[in-house]
Amino acid sequence: MSAITNGREEARRAPAASLHIGRHRGLITAFVAFAVLFAVVAKLSAVPLVYYDVAQMTTSGATLAIAAMGQTVVVLSGGFDLSAAAVISLVNVTLATFPADGSVSPWTLTAVGIGIGVVVGAFNGFFIAFLRLQAIVVTLSTMFILQGITLIVMEKPGGMIEPSLSDVLIGDLITDWVPMSAALLVVLLLFWYWLKRTKLGLAIYAIGGDIDSARSAGIPTRFVQFMVYVIAGGFYGLAGVFISAQTGAGDPLVGNPMLLQMFAAVVVGGTLLGGGRGGLTGSVLGAYVLMVIVNILLVLNVSAYFSTIAESTILLLAVLSASMHRRSVLAQNIRQVLARFAAWRQGILPSQLDLSPRKLSLAAVKRDAADQKVLSAMAPFRTRHAEIIRYALPAYICLVGVLLVTQYVLGNALFNFNYYNSLVVLASFLAILALGQGTVILTGGLDLSIPWTIGLCGILLAGLVKGSDAALVYAVPVVLVVGMLIGLLNGFGIVALGLSPIVMTLAVNGLLQGAALLYSGGTPDGFSSPMLRDFMTFKVFGVTPVVPFLAVFAVFAVLLLGRTAFGRRVYAIGNSERAAELSGIPVKRTIISVYVLSGLCSALVGILLTGFSGQASLGMGDEYLLPSIAVVVVGGALITGGRGSYVGMLGGVILLTALQMLLAGTTIPISARSILYGLVILGAIIALRDRHA
């Protein structure tokens, strides 16, 4: 009898143990990966690893580990935080402004750094939790605001960090036994283990799993979301303190490379993007996995340019492996392909059947649609275009105000044709990007690969042309095709693999950065041809050739989104992807086409920028990411998709370009532009947000 009882108990324990292992699969995988990679490092090392080597590795990976812990808290709640790296940079330069004469204690500096992070987190949390704005847009705006503030505090690397801060954080807690960095990570993990067992910690997992169910269960979701960003901000601030102790100086760009690394560490550590599953321990291990991989590349004398490629690849593979299950998008797509293949073999695909009755019904539908168009054309213009007028008109009204201020401040602008010609030339880049990024946003997505699509395409063009007009004949088509292939890669990852647009395009941006560095060797070669240069700068009867080109482009963009089947499909997907799919719209094909269009527009901007400046440069597209989103939102588009027009986007383009020209004519520093863009986009999404969201 006892044997039977024991057997039943073992049978009950087996599923429980299996469930427990499955829940912590990501953490276990990260630990195994770290152990294997560490063994590889030990094997490749010329001498046996000693305590000093381990302590150095622990310290070098601590900043990323701390930052990844903060990002994990946000991801667990179902959010994203793109401002994390900017917080680290701001803390670093702020601490570098304090006197390094021992008058300020390291604990005061630590408190200041954490305090900055908490304030930024509260700023993000307020807009996300209480104003119900989309986290990706709020934190992206905050990132650019912080970058502008950082450059105002310290324009270039310099300053000195109080040496005692390094003595406290970089040394040993127990000499030759325990590095202070390891002890700090243990303390932070203990804090997390305590927090996750409190009501707040449980609520973080609850809203990450299903925020509507959590709200129905009585959880104060808004307060929890607010606290999530406050806690995460504290982690970012501490990461900024730690990297300051490491470097001993200020650098306004010190945190920039860490954004992609943070997401990679979070995913490698087993935290599910979308929330509800994972933890900080796995993210710490994920951070050290990335650090060990970089060390292996260095030992093998692999170019440092491969680092962003490796990080992006790891992020994509980790996200893909975490989503490999029977209900995943990839599994569903595989089943659909197999089902279509089987139907094709049996000859029962719609294209293989005689559907003449259906054709008759389609003809009737077309007649009805034609009748609807006639009735619509009979309606007043204001009625037919009420939505466009409502959401696009504010941008043009603000534009008039900016023009009046420009006339008052700078003079000779309002009735100066050269001013308007320059305005259109400078606006041409954003006007083209607005079509690509705007169409992506209309479907509910976002393209974060724009910066290095522009950069890579510009570098490719300059390298192919090398000052030859004749080379434009083949160089321009090649570069445009490259841009379309980049968009195809984005679309394929999002549609076929089921990856988040944010993760996919962010990772592709990292891949493109590495590819651009490898292709150019860190120093772009070549320059624009005279013909392309003249197209962007020469005047014919007072008009730059790009101006009429942009006019034609704008007409094309308006017709594409407003008068074609493609445009109608885009809006339908943005309003409800599921409803669009049930209506027979080829959702997957349309989404891929949208990202291909965005890649094409980015490549075209890379070509024009190369012609405008005369040569290509690394990072030439970095300053166009937030503006490409800002002009779409300022033009009245809904950031979650389904609402907007190119007419409004064009108004946003001209408005922001006019603001930029106004600022350029004043003594306001260039860094203020980033702050302005961030504030403008926040104001726009607040004013034009969906009140029912």
Side-chain angles (χ1 to χ4, degrees):
M1 190 72 178
S2 60
I4 296 175
T5 304
N6 291 336
R8 289 176 177 172
E9 290 179 357
E10 290 178 3
R12 282 195 299 267
R13 287 195 200 106
S18 176
L19 181 62
H20 185 74
I21 293 174
R23 189 181 301 129
H24 296 90
R25 182 183 62 181
L27 176 61
I28 295 170
T29 303
F31 178 79
V32 172
F34 173 73
V36 171
L37 290 170
F38 188 82
V40 171
V41 170
K43 183 71 175 177
L44 293 174
S45 178
V47 295
L49 297 180
V50 296
Y51 170 79
Y52 175 79
D53 300 315
V54 176
Q56 284 291 102
M57 293 174 65
T58 304
T59 301
S60 63
T63 299
L64 177 58
I66 297 170
M69 293 169 85
Q71 190 69 250
T72 305
V73 177
V74 174
V75 172
L76 284 173
S77 70
F80 280 92
D81 192 347
L82 298 179
S83 67
V87 174
I88 294 173
S89 297
L90 178 59
V91 170
N92 174 245
V93 299
T94 302
L95 297 187
T97 62
F98 283 83
D101 56 4
S103 59
V104 182
S105 73
W107 307 113
T108 300
L109 294 175
T110 302
V112 169
I114 295 175
I116 291 173
V118 167
V119 170
V120 174
F123 180 84
N124 284 331
F126 172 77
F127 287 102
I128 295 168
F130 298 114
L131 295 188
R132 316 302 292 171
L133 303 182
Q134 196 178 35
I136 181 68
V137 182
V138 171
T139 57
L140 187 63
S141 302
T142 303
M143 178 182 78
F144 276 83
I145 293 173
L146 295 180
Q147 286 179 347
I149 296 173
T150 300
L151 290 173
I152 291 175
V153 174
M154 182 175 291
E155 188 175 0
K156 56 185 178 180
M160 184 176 178
I161 306 295
E162 168 59 41
S164 60
L165 184 65
S166 179
D167 296 337
V168 171
L169 294 179
I170 307 301
D172 287 350
L173 179 65
I174 301 176
T175 305
D176 294 337
W177 280 98
V178 181
M180 181 61 75
S181 55
L184 177 60
L185 292 176
V186 170
V187 170
L188 293 176
L189 288 175
L190 289 175
F191 164 74
W192 169 247
Y193 286 125
W194 166 79
L195 178 65
K196 69 185 293 188
R197 285 168 174 76
T198 64
K199 290 183 178 180
L200 177 60
L202 295 173
I204 291 173
Y205 280 94
I207 66 173
D210 189 336
I211 190 170
D212 293 327
S213 298
R215 189 180 297 115
S216 300
I219 294 175
T221 54
R222 297 192 179 189
F223 173 76
V224 173
Q225 281 185 308
F226 177 79
M227 288 304 300
V228 159
Y229 286 91
V230 170
I231 294 170
F235 276 104
Y236 307 147
L238 182 58
V241 173
F242 196 90
I243 201 171
S244 300
Q246 283 182 292
T247 60
D251 183 353
L253 303 178
V254 70
N256 288 10
M258 299 182 65
L259 183 61
L260 178 63
Q261 297 171 353
M262 268 183 252
F263 283 106
V266 170
V267 176
V268 170
T271 297
L272 183 66
L273 292 178
R277 193 184 77 192
L280 273 62
T281 306
S283 298
V284 172
L285 288 172
Y288 280 101
V289 165
L290 294 176
M291 184 269 299
V292 173
I293 289 175
V294 172
N295 285 345
I296 292 174
L297 293 177
L298 291 174
V299 171
L300 296 176
N301 292 321
V302 177
S303 172
Y305 298 153
F306 280 99
S307 60
T308 57
I309 296 178
E311 292 159 2
S312 301
T313 303
I314 290 170
L315 173 59
L316 291 176
L317 292 177
V319 173
L320 189 59
S321 63
S323 62
M324 291 293 290
H325 50 80
R326 287 184 55 83
R327 292 179 295 175
S328 67
V329 173
L330 178 59
Q332 292 175 7
N333 286 334
I334 292 174
R335 287 196 293 269
Q336 288 179 3
V337 170
L338 294 176
R340 286 184 64 85
F341 179 72
W344 173 78
R345 292 191 62 182
Q346 297 176 26
I348 58 175
L349 282 177
S351 59
Q352 297 172 303
L353 300 176
D354 182 13
L355 299 176
S356 52
R358 179 171 175 265
K359 292 178 181 178
L360 292 174
S361 64
L362 285 176
V365 170
K366 289 180 179 179
R367 285 195 300 271
D368 292 341
D371 293 340
Q372 289 291 336
K373 286 183 179 180
V374 172
L375 292 174
S376 176
M378 295 174 62
F381 178 87
R382 185 175 178 180
T383 302
R384 286 185 283 122
H385 302 281
E387 184 175 283
I388 294 178
I389 295 173
R390 176 185 176 187
Y391 293 109
L393 189 60
Y396 289 94
I397 294 174
C398 292
L399 172 62
V400 173
V402 171
L403 293 176
L404 292 174
V405 172
T406 302
Q407 174 67 27
Y408 177 77
V409 174
L410 303 180
N412 195 28
L414 199 58
F415 302 103
N416 186 350
F417 181 79
N418 288 330
Y419 169 80
Y420 292 106
N421 181 77
S422 300
L423 177 64
V424 175
V425 171
L426 293 176
S428 60
F429 311 114
L430 277 179
I432 294 170
L433 287 178
L435 175 61
Q437 184 74 275
T439 310
V440 169
I441 290 176
L442 286 175
T443 62
L446 203 63
D447 190 352
L448 301 182
S449 67
I450 280 178
W452 279 99
T453 302
I454 294 174
L456 177 61
C457 289
I459 292 170
L460 284 175
L461 182 84
L464 291 172
V465 171
K466 294 187 177 180
S468 170
D469 285 336
L472 287 175
V473 176
Y474 64 86
V476 170
V478 167
V479 171
L480 293 178
V481 169
V482 168
M484 295 173 67
L485 290 175
I486 292 170
L488 182 64
L489 176 61
N490 281 327
F492 178 81
I494 293 165
V495 169
L497 304 182
L499 302 180
S500 162
I502 298 170
V503 173
M504 185 65 200
T505 56
L506 181 64
V508 168
N509 193 60
L511 292 173
L512 298 177
Q513 180 181 357
L517 290 170
L518 287 171
Y519 175 80
S520 64
T523 306
D525 188 20
F527 48 92
S528 172
S529 68
M531 184 182 297
L532 184 59
R533 178 75 171 162
D534 290 344
F535 183 77
M536 295 302 300
T537 58
F538 188 72
K539 291 183 180 179
V540 180
F541 301 110
V543 179
T544 307
V546 73
V547 173
F549 169 80
L550 185 62
V552 174
F553 181 89
V555 172
F556 165 78
V558 170
L559 294 177
L560 179 67
L561 291 180
R563 297 301 181 95
T564 65
F566 171 78
R568 290 190 288 273
R569 291 197 295 265
V570 166
Y571 284 102
I573 293 170
N575 282 306
S576 175
E577 184 174 326
R578 180 59 178 163
E581 191 171 10
L582 293 175
S583 300
I585 292 174
V587 172
K588 296 177 181 179
R589 190 195 318 159
T590 304
I591 291 177
I592 291 176
S593 301
V594 160
Y595 283 93
V596 170
L597 176 63
S598 181
L600 176 64
C601 291
S602 299
L604 181 56
V605 169
I607 293 171
L608 297 182
L609 271 175
T610 303
F612 184 75
S613 60
Q615 61 184 6
S617 60
L618 295 173
M620 62 190 292
D622 288 348
E623 62 183 83
Y624 287 95
L625 176 58
L626 184 62
S628 71
I629 301 171
V631 297
V632 174
V633 177
V634 171
L638 191 64
I639 196 64
T640 53
R643 189 194 77 196
S645 67
Y646 187 77
V647 173
M649 297 173 196
L650 189 60
V653 168
I654 302 175
L655 170 60
L656 263 68
T657 306
L659 275 173
Q660 181 180 346
M661 293 179 68
L662 175 60
L663 289 174
T666 64
T667 57
I668 299 175
I670 296 178
S671 55
R673 296 178 190 175
S674 294
I675 301 174
L676 176 66
Y677 282 140
L679 293 176
V680 165
I681 194 171
L682 277 178
I685 60 176
I686 292 171
L688 300 173
R689 74 187 189 278
D690 187 352
R691 304 290 177 177
H692 302 291

